[in-house]
Amino acid sequence: MISEPELVGEDEPGSSRDVVSGFDREPATGRRRGHRLLWGVTGALVASAVWASAVFAYGIGGDGKPDPRGYRVESDTCASIELKALTGVVGEPEDDPATELDGIEHPALHRIRCTITFGSSEVTAVAGTSGGAWTTSYQASVTAELHKETDPRPEFEASSTLTEIDGLGVTQVERVPDLGDLAYLLVLDDNAMQLKVVDGGAVVTLTLSAWVNYEAEDGAEEVPDDAPEGPELLGYRGSLISDVRDVMKALKTD
């Protein structure tokens, strides 16, 4: 079971203790009742100010719709995505980004998912084999969503408490400061890591997975038992953050 993610920086708007209290007591009479009424009005004004500050900070309009902040998520979005930082550390992609078939284009939500498979790199040659070797492969998946009718932030915040995503257990959650309105880095089982960001009505998720394969030559089918450990993905944390920043820029309309 994972613990609450550690918060970095100042508290979020509206996260302080209740500003209106004392309403569960018996009604007062005389001058004290008038004082209670004044406190109630003051509390309502403070609550309105807190709501207004949240609207200003997170771009939620008076109609409750999230601010798109210039983001565009369309069927051709994958063509504009480049993961330069990851490419620099794990190798060149095998092909151009591939568009997944689970995209959505609806008046309330636009979503696209792109996958990028990187070329394999040799980890170690296996002694006593005819050129067989263990190799490491990487795959990145970018999901971009633009919510047009409802604020995605409440569900986004709730996702940081998940203990399982797509069948993989969540082992660690970190808050990433200074990225969008809110961002989390999640470490998953099976050597995978995910960075999730919400910015106004846009939600961007970058997932990196790695696995180790044995590549035999001359038709050999036997796989050695001494498989090496997979790469430590937390070492690529900075590359994920850099690439997500670039993806967010690429999603902005001209």
Side-chain angles (χ1 to χ4, degrees):
M1 183 173 182
I2 62 174
S3 59
E4 292 269 349
E6 181 180 354
L7 298 182
V8 178
E10 299 179 354
D11 291 340
E12 299 299 326
S15 63
S16 60
R17 299 181 185 275
D18 291 340
V19 295
V20 181
S21 60
F23 289 97
D24 54 346
R25 301 173 186 170
E26 291 295 325
T29 58
R31 294 180 61 184
R32 186 172 180 83
R33 181 177 182 182
H35 182 73
R36 179 73 57 80
L37 179 60
L38 176 62
W39 169 244
V41 172
T42 303
L45 292 174
V46 173
S48 297
V50 171
W51 179 86
S53 65
V55 169
F56 177 79
Y58 299 111
I60 307 303
D63 57 0
K65 295 183 179 181
D67 186 349
R69 296 187 181 170
Y71 287 101
R72 182 183 70 88
V73 176
E74 305 293 349
S75 58
D76 61 349
T77 294
C78 287
S80 64
I81 290 178
E82 296 181 289
L83 304 181
K84 294 181 179 179
L86 281 176
T87 298
V89 293
V90 304
E92 293 290 332
E94 292 183 342
D95 298 295
D96 293 333
T99 303
E100 298 289 339
L101 299 178
D102 63 344
I104 295 175
E105 192 165 349
H106 185 274
L109 172 66
H110 281 195
R111 183 179 72 189
I112 196 75
R113 181 177 295 175
C114 324
T115 58
I116 300 175
T117 301
F118 298 89
S120 300
S121 59
E122 183 175 308
V123 180
T124 180
V126 179
T129 65
S130 300
W134 291 102
T135 62
T136 300
S137 299
Y138 298 86
Q139 186 177 73
S141 173
V142 177
T143 302
E145 300 177 348
L146 184 58
H147 298 254
K148 299 185 175 184
E149 295 293 333
T150 57
D151 178 17
R153 184 181 168 88
E155 288 187 12
F156 182 90
E157 290 182 303
S159 70
S160 69
T161 66
L162 293 175
T163 58
E164 183 177 299
I165 297 176
D166 295 333
L168 300 179
V170 179
T171 61
Q172 184 177 335
V173 179
E174 295 181 8
R175 172 78 175 274
V176 180
D178 304 320
L179 184 60
D181 289 335
L182 189 63
Y184 291 107
L185 182 77
L186 295 86
V187 180
L188 311 176
D189 289 335
D190 204 20
N191 221 14
M193 186 167 61
Q194 188 174 88
L195 177 59
K196 300 171 64 69
V197 185
V198 61
D199 189 25
V203 178
V204 176
T205 303
L206 173 57
T207 304
L208 177 67
S209 303
W211 61 93
V212 176
N213 291 318
Y214 177 69
E215 294 187 0
E217 291 186 2
D218 299 332
E221 296 182 0
E222 183 178 352
V223 178
D225 296 328
D226 55 344
E229 293 290 332
E232 177 54 61
L233 292 187
L234 275 175
Y236 303 139
R237 179 196 289 109
S239 297
L240 260 70
I241 293 173
S242 177
D243 279 338
V244 163
R245 291 189 192 278
D246 288 345
V247 168
M248 293 169 70
K249 290 179 183 178
L251 295 176
K252 294 273 188 167
T253 55
D254 296 331

XYZ file of all heavy atoms in Angstrom, residues 67-81 99-100 102-114 142-148 197 199-205 247-254:
401
model
N -10.236 26.000 -18.475
C -9.582 26.837 -19.468
C -8.704 25.956 -20.359
O -7.800 25.271 -19.869
C -8.723 27.879 -18.747
C -8.098 28.896 -19.694
O -8.159 28.671 -20.924
O -7.547 29.889 -19.202
N -8.915 25.956 -21.684
C -8.076 25.128 -22.564
C -6.641 25.613 -22.656
O -5.753 24.851 -23.044
C -8.775 25.231 -23.920
C -9.548 26.503 -23.862
C -9.975 26.660 -22.433
N -6.386 26.872 -22.319
C -5.043 27.448 -22.291
C -4.271 27.256 -23.602
O -3.062 27.087 -23.603
C -4.245 26.886 -21.118
C -4.843 27.270 -19.770
C -4.001 26.874 -18.613
N -4.655 27.262 -17.371
C -4.254 26.885 -16.160
N -3.184 26.124 -16.034
N -4.909 27.277 -15.091
N -4.999 27.228 -24.694
C -4.349 27.158 -25.997
C -3.956 25.772 -26.442
O -3.356 25.613 -27.508
N -4.287 24.741 -25.667
C -3.921 23.382 -26.062
C -4.819 22.884 -27.197
O -6.001 23.215 -27.277
C -4.037 22.424 -24.873
C -2.935 22.597 -23.852
C -3.164 23.293 -22.670
C -1.663 22.071 -24.079
C -2.161 23.464 -21.733
C -0.656 22.232 -23.145
C -0.913 22.929 -21.976
O 0.095 23.094 -21.052
N -4.231 22.060 -28.059
C -4.970 21.435 -29.145
C -4.631 19.953 -29.170
O -3.457 19.575 -29.213
C -4.591 22.059 -30.499
C -5.361 21.485 -31.682
C -4.868 22.101 -32.998
N -3.530 21.636 -33.334
C -3.294 20.527 -34.044
N -4.300 19.796 -34.486
N -2.064 20.173 -34.319
N -5.649 19.122 -29.106
C -5.472 17.666 -29.167
C -6.338 17.151 -30.299
O -7.569 17.129 -30.193
C -5.857 16.995 -27.839
C -5.748 15.473 -27.953
C -4.965 17.500 -26.704
N -5.704 16.785 -31.405
C -6.429 16.340 -32.591
C -5.830 15.032 -33.100
O -4.858 14.507 -32.545
C -6.381 17.423 -33.682
C -6.885 18.796 -33.238
C -8.375 18.832 -32.939
O -9.068 17.854 -33.269
O -8.836 19.836 -32.379
N -6.395 14.522 -34.204
C -5.969 13.228 -34.730
C -4.528 13.230 -35.225
O -3.886 12.185 -35.300
C -6.907 12.784 -35.858
O -6.932 13.754 -36.897
N -4.013 14.423 -35.554
C -2.637 14.498 -36.062
C -1.632 14.897 -34.986
O -0.486 15.241 -35.286
C -2.556 15.483 -37.222
C -2.962 16.903 -36.807
O -3.494 17.068 -35.681
O -2.753 17.843 -37.593
N -2.037 14.845 -33.720
C -1.180 15.315 -32.635
C 0.114 14.520 -32.527
O 1.183 15.089 -32.261
C -1.944 15.249 -31.304
O -3.024 16.192 -31.331
C -1.050 15.582 -30.127
N 0.061 13.219 -32.753
C 1.249 12.384 -32.562
C 2.415 12.835 -33.442
O 3.583 12.707 -33.053
C 0.927 10.913 -32.844
S -0.077 10.131 -31.567
N 2.117 13.364 -34.608
C 3.179 13.766 -35.525
C 4.018 14.908 -34.969
O 5.168 15.099 -35.384
C 2.578 14.177 -36.870
N 3.477 15.660 -34.010
C 4.196 16.810 -33.461
C 4.980 16.467 -32.199
O 5.642 17.336 -31.631
C 3.212 17.947 -33.150
O 2.302 17.557 -32.135
N 4.916 15.224 -31.759
C 5.543 14.834 -30.489
C 6.944 14.284 -30.731
O 7.135 13.366 -31.526
C 4.670 13.806 -29.746
C 3.394 14.495 -29.244
C 5.429 13.159 -28.605
C 2.440 13.566 -28.545
N 0.014 6.191 -33.689
C -1.234 6.607 -33.054
C -2.053 5.381 -32.663
O -2.332 4.515 -33.492
C -2.069 7.484 -34.006
O -1.283 8.606 -34.417
C -3.330 7.977 -33.319
N -2.414 5.290 -31.383
C -3.236 4.183 -30.906
C -4.681 4.367 -31.366
O -5.095 5.448 -31.774
C -3.172 4.091 -29.385
C -1.780 3.803 -28.834
C -1.330 2.389 -29.115
O -2.198 1.530 -29.359
O -0.118 2.137 -29.110
N -7.432 4.039 -29.537
C -8.406 4.370 -28.487
C -8.598 5.874 -28.334
O -8.951 6.365 -27.270
C -7.996 3.752 -27.150
C -6.671 4.295 -26.637
O -5.943 4.905 -27.433
O -6.363 4.109 -25.447
N -8.353 6.633 -29.393
C -8.552 8.078 -29.335
C -10.022 8.454 -29.224
O -10.921 7.676 -29.571
N -10.263 9.651 -28.722
C -11.632 10.162 -28.555
C -11.690 11.567 -29.141
O -10.813 12.399 -28.875
C -12.049 10.216 -27.070
C -12.109 8.808 -26.463
C -13.389 10.918 -26.909
C -12.393 8.806 -24.980
N -12.695 11.837 -29.927
C -12.954 13.186 -30.426
C -14.426 13.477 -30.201
O -15.289 13.104 -30.988
C -12.577 13.312 -31.899
C -12.566 14.757 -32.376
C -11.845 14.935 -33.705
O -11.189 13.979 -34.150
O -11.972 16.027 -34.283
N -14.714 14.115 -29.088
C -16.077 14.343 -28.607
C -16.163 15.791 -28.138
O -15.158 16.379 -27.724
C -16.369 13.370 -27.442
C -17.772 13.423 -26.928
N -18.175 14.323 -25.968
C -18.862 12.684 -27.243
C -19.454 14.135 -25.706
N -19.898 13.148 -26.468
N -17.355 16.416 -28.199
C -17.456 17.808 -27.743
C -16.971 18.022 -26.316
O -16.538 19.129 -25.970
C -18.968 18.099 -27.861
C -19.422 17.209 -28.964
C -18.624 15.950 -28.828
N -17.023 16.978 -25.471
C -16.592 17.125 -24.083
C -15.139 16.737 -23.861
O -14.526 17.165 -22.880
C -17.485 16.286 -23.171
N -14.567 15.926 -24.762
C -13.224 15.416 -24.526
C -12.547 15.034 -25.835
O -13.128 14.328 -26.658
C -13.279 14.185 -23.604
C -11.980 13.405 -23.402
C -10.952 14.254 -22.660
C -12.243 12.104 -22.646
N -11.323 15.508 -26.003
C -10.455 15.039 -27.079
C -9.292 14.290 -26.432
O -8.669 14.798 -25.485
C -9.911 16.213 -27.897
C -10.894 16.761 -28.873
N -10.531 17.592 -29.903
C -12.244 16.601 -28.993
C -11.604 17.929 -30.609
N -12.658 17.342 -30.065
N -9.002 13.094 -26.946
C -7.890 12.312 -26.405
C -7.164 11.602 -27.531
O -7.780 11.108 -28.473
C -8.389 11.264 -25.394
C -7.239 10.479 -24.741
C -7.755 9.476 -23.748
N -8.405 8.361 -24.389
C -9.103 7.416 -23.734
N -9.254 7.511 -22.440
N -9.646 6.423 -24.390
N -5.844 11.577 -27.420
C -5.011 10.859 -28.380
C -3.921 10.144 -27.592
O -3.461 10.639 -26.561
C -4.400 11.828 -29.419
C -3.865 11.060 -30.619
C -3.347 12.702 -28.811
C -4.936 10.548 -31.548
N -3.521 8.978 -28.075
C -2.425 8.241 -27.444
C -1.414 7.846 -28.510
O -1.783 7.353 -29.569
C -2.931 6.997 -26.718
C -1.808 6.200 -26.028
C -2.348 5.022 -25.257
N -3.186 5.462 -24.154
C -3.866 4.629 -23.360
N -3.820 3.326 -23.578
N -4.588 5.103 -22.374
N -0.151 8.086 -28.221
C 0.931 7.798 -29.160
C 1.957 6.895 -28.482
O 2.227 7.042 -27.286
C 1.628 9.080 -29.599
S 0.540 10.523 -29.783
N 2.602 8.332 -24.870
C 2.128 9.676 -24.520
C 0.620 9.728 -24.706
O 0.112 9.425 -25.798
C 2.794 10.757 -25.399
C 2.236 12.135 -25.058
C 4.307 10.735 -25.223
N -0.090 10.086 -23.656
C -1.531 10.301 -23.738
C -1.811 11.775 -23.483
O -1.372 12.326 -22.477
C -2.289 9.452 -22.712
O -1.997 8.066 -22.929
C -3.796 9.667 -22.844
N -2.514 12.418 -24.416
C -2.884 13.821 -24.280
C -4.405 13.929 -24.294
O -5.059 13.399 -25.186
C -2.289 14.652 -25.413
N -4.947 14.598 -23.280
C -6.399 14.789 -23.169
C -6.705 16.271 -23.040
O -5.973 17.000 -22.367
C -6.959 14.060 -21.944
C -6.751 12.561 -21.941
C -7.273 11.920 -20.674
O -7.575 12.668 -19.714
O -7.378 10.690 -20.622
N -7.784 16.702 -23.680
C -8.271 18.065 -23.519
C -9.731 17.993 -23.100
O -10.601 17.625 -23.892
C -8.126 18.860 -24.820
C -8.522 20.338 -24.726
C -7.696 21.056 -23.661
C -8.364 21.031 -26.072
N -9.966 18.317 -21.833
C -11.321 18.293 -21.272
C -11.972 19.650 -21.510
O -11.425 20.690 -21.123
C -11.258 17.989 -19.776
C -10.677 16.644 -19.458
N -11.450 15.587 -19.048
C -9.399 16.184 -19.531
C -10.671 14.540 -18.851
N -9.423 14.868 -19.137
N -13.150 19.639 -22.125
C -13.788 20.885 -22.539
C -15.026 21.260 -21.718
O -15.471 22.403 -21.771
C -14.176 20.796 -24.018
C -12.980 20.585 -24.943
C -13.383 20.631 -26.403
C -12.176 20.546 -27.314
N -12.528 20.693 -28.747
N 0.519 15.100 -15.685
C 0.436 16.548 -15.479
C -0.960 17.029 -15.860
O -1.499 16.618 -16.894
C 1.478 17.299 -16.335
C 1.448 18.791 -16.015
C 2.872 16.740 -16.122
N -2.960 20.728 -16.557
C -2.754 22.157 -16.769
C -4.027 22.718 -17.377
O -4.292 22.536 -18.569
C -1.560 22.383 -17.693
C -1.152 23.850 -17.782
O -1.443 24.599 -16.824
O -0.555 24.258 -18.794
N -4.839 23.393 -16.567
C -6.143 23.841 -17.047
C -6.992 22.638 -17.418
O -7.210 21.735 -16.623
N -7.460 22.600 -18.669
C -8.261 21.465 -19.120
C -7.451 20.360 -19.761
O -8.017 19.366 -20.230
N -6.137 20.499 -19.810
C -5.285 19.507 -20.467
C -4.661 18.561 -19.445
O -4.246 18.989 -18.362
C -4.185 20.189 -21.270
N -4.603 17.286 -19.804
C -3.925 16.274 -18.995
C -2.949 15.534 -19.913
O -3.345 15.004 -20.949
C -4.911 15.273 -18.369
C -4.154 14.201 -17.580
C -5.914 15.990 -17.471
N -1.687 15.524 -19.544
C -0.646 14.859 -20.334
C -0.007 13.778 -19.476
O 0.376 14.034 -18.326
C 0.420 15.864 -20.815
C 1.536 15.139 -21.557
C -0.216 16.918 -21.715
N 0.120 12.586 -20.033
C 0.731 11.461 -19.330
C 1.817 10.857 -20.204
O 1.578 10.540 -21.373
C -0.316 10.380 -19.002
O -1.380 10.956 -18.235
C 0.314 9.237 -18.207
N 6.389 18.318 -24.843
C 5.093 17.854 -25.368
C 4.020 18.906 -25.110
O 3.206 19.213 -25.987
C 4.703 16.501 -24.735
C 3.240 16.169 -25.058
C 5.608 15.385 -25.246
N 4.015 19.476 -23.923
C 3.022 20.501 -23.592
C 3.165 21.715 -24.504
O 2.163 22.306 -24.931
C 3.142 20.895 -22.113
C 2.754 19.755 -21.171
S 3.189 20.063 -19.438
C 2.018 21.363 -19.015
N 4.402 22.088 -24.836
C 4.603 23.195 -25.781
C 4.105 22.822 -27.173
O 3.493 23.644 -27.869
C 6.088 23.547 -25.835
C 6.625 24.203 -24.572
C 8.112 24.480 -24.713
C 8.689 25.082 -23.437
N 10.155 25.312 -23.539
N 4.364 21.572 -27.575
C 3.956 21.135 -28.914
C 2.440 21.080 -29.059
O 1.900 21.215 -30.177
C 4.553 19.758 -29.222
N 1.728 20.882 -27.948
C 0.274 20.793 -27.996
C -0.413 22.145 -28.061
O -1.629 22.214 -28.292
C -0.256 20.025 -26.780
C 0.121 18.553 -26.670
C -0.399 17.965 -25.365
C -0.455 17.762 -27.854
N 0.343 23.196 -27.835
C -0.237 24.540 -27.875
C -0.518 24.947 -29.321
O 0.285 24.683 -30.214
C 0.723 25.554 -27.255
C 0.958 25.360 -25.766
C -0.059 26.078 -24.931
C 0.326 26.029 -23.462
N -0.440 26.958 -22.652
N -1.647 25.573 -29.523
C -1.976 26.058 -30.870
C -1.097 27.262 -31.204
O -0.655 28.001 -30.343
C -3.451 26.468 -30.937
O -3.729 27.427 -29.899
C -4.342 25.268 -30.759
N -0.843 27.436 -32.480
C -0.008 28.558 -32.936
C -0.757 29.876 -32.814
O -1.977 29.929 -32.909
C 0.402 28.330 -34.394
C 1.276 27.099 -34.537
O 1.996 26.773 -33.574
O 1.223 26.476 -35.627
